[in-house]
Amino acid sequence: MLDAISAVASTATGNIPALVKSVLPDMLNRTSLFTTKYFPLVIHDWTPPLYEGTFTLEVKGKGESHMQDDNETWEVNRVAKGKIYSIFRGYNVRDTLYTEGRGGYYFQVEDLHDVSVQDTLTHNFLGGGGCLGKVEPIAESFKVNGPVADLSAPYTLQAGQMELKSQHANGADSMLVNVTAAWSLPCRYVHTMTDYPTESGIQSMDIPIKFTDTLPPHPQSLNGVNTQTQTVVIGGAKGEVKAVMHWELHKVKGSGK
């Protein structure tokens, strides 16, 4: 409109174009001829919501070694349940994310409960020769029961986190989940050997697991299950340990939007 009036005014005498260009914008801003309009806008917010959840971890396995005059077996049997908390509780999540809100989002794995550890190791071998070349077998056993920690109080894992990363690739949106959990669990052990006094004490039992998964973006809840299998050698006997982790996350209210 300013250009149209200026074009007409330019045909008149005097310095009207300069006057129009300097005065007209202010006049238009003050008049009620043009009113303000409000329009709703739909915004796609890529900031991950707050989640909390639970997990169940089972670690089981066994191994054995059979040699001449020397047999050894072991068994691992562990179960633990716990909670997963967002470390962003009470914080502004938007200040921690990358460009366009797609970035890392971390959780703490903590508060163990319903923990059971039942590990055993048995070793039978022939001992050294005694009088007249007599050889006596020696039996050795190692049993671990636990935990000895007071799990009625909050028991935080020494290490554990869950990372959710919102990403957009090849025209599709998804959420990448990386989970690591590893803690040192204090358990009681009893060590016995033939013709030797029984020994007992407390030791730490390490339980590690890692996995990666891809899920739809920002649903109301997330859940998954992952299995990790590893070959280990305990006391010279090779065996296989299998770890299975079930986890779930659900949205909770938080300061982030």
Side-chain angles (χ1 to χ4, degrees):
M1 179 177 292
L2 177 59
D3 293 338
I5 295 178
S6 298
V8 174
S10 64
T11 61
T13 60
N15 193 20
I16 295 181
L19 179 65
V20 170
K21 291 181 180 179
S22 62
V23 178
L24 185 59
D26 186 64
M27 293 177 60
L28 293 178
N29 287 334
R30 294 174 183 271
T31 183
S32 61
L33 179 62
F34 303 99
T35 58
T36 303
K37 299 294 183 181
Y38 293 90
F39 299 94
L41 298 178
V42 178
I43 299 176
H44 194 170
D45 190 351
W46 278 103
T47 302
L50 288 174
Y51 289 98
E52 291 183 2
T54 59
F55 74 93
T56 299
L57 177 62
E58 294 182 328
V59 181
K60 297 184 179 182
K62 60 182 179 180
E64 57 184 4
S65 174
H66 301 285
M67 301 175 63
Q68 184 177 2
D69 301 331
D70 192 350
N71 296 319
E72 183 172 309
T73 61
W74 57 264
E75 185 173 353
V76 173
N77 189 350
R78 309 172 186 175
V79 179
K81 298 180 181 180
K83 296 181 179 179
I84 305 173
Y85 294 110
S86 168
I87 63 175
F88 289 138
R89 288 171 298 179
Y91 294 91
N92 191 335
V93 183
R94 291 174 295 181
D95 295 338
T96 64
L97 299 178
Y98 304 145
T99 305
E100 297 182 358
R102 296 184 176 94
Y105 186 56
Y106 297 90
F107 300 84
Q108 289 176 333
V109 183
E110 56 187 29
D111 189 21
L112 286 176
H113 58 86
D114 298 337
V115 178
S116 174
V117 176
Q118 302 289 330
D119 293 352
T120 61
L121 171 66
T122 60
H123 194 187
N124 298 285
F125 58 97
L126 295 180
C131 182
L132 301 177
K134 182 180 179 181
V135 178
E136 296 180 356
I138 297 179
E140 178 183 14
S141 65
F142 188 85
K143 294 184 179 181
V144 180
N145 299 285
V148 296
D150 183 10
L151 296 180
S152 60
Y155 186 88
T156 304
L157 302 183
Q158 291 189 352
Q161 69 180 26
M162 178 175 287
E163 176 190 6
L164 273 66
K165 184 176 182 181
S166 176
Q167 59 183 10
H168 181 87
N170 299 325
D173 301 305
S174 63
M175 182 176 290
L176 182 65
V177 182
N178 293 308
V179 178
T180 62
W183 62 89
S184 186
L185 189 63
C187 301
R188 189 180 305 279
Y189 74 88
V190 178
H191 184 200
T192 59
M193 291 185 66
T194 304
D195 299 331
Y196 286 88
T198 299
E199 175 189 11
S200 63
I202 297 176
Q203 71 173 38
S204 296
M205 307 298 294
D206 298 326
I207 306 177
I209 184 172
K210 297 181 180 181
F211 69 90
T212 301
D213 198 1
T214 302
L215 300 171
H218 308 166
Q220 292 295 325
S221 62
L222 300 168
N223 62 83
V225 56
N226 185 266
T227 301
Q228 174 182 310
T229 303
Q230 184 176 356
T231 300
V232 298
V233 178
I234 300 179
K238 181 184 295 186
E240 189 174 78
V241 173
K242 181 179 181 181
V244 181
M245 184 173 182
H246 297 261
W247 59 275
E248 64 84 22
L249 293 172
H250 52 271
K251 281 185 178 180
V252 295
K253 294 182 179 180
S255 59
K257 295 182 179 180

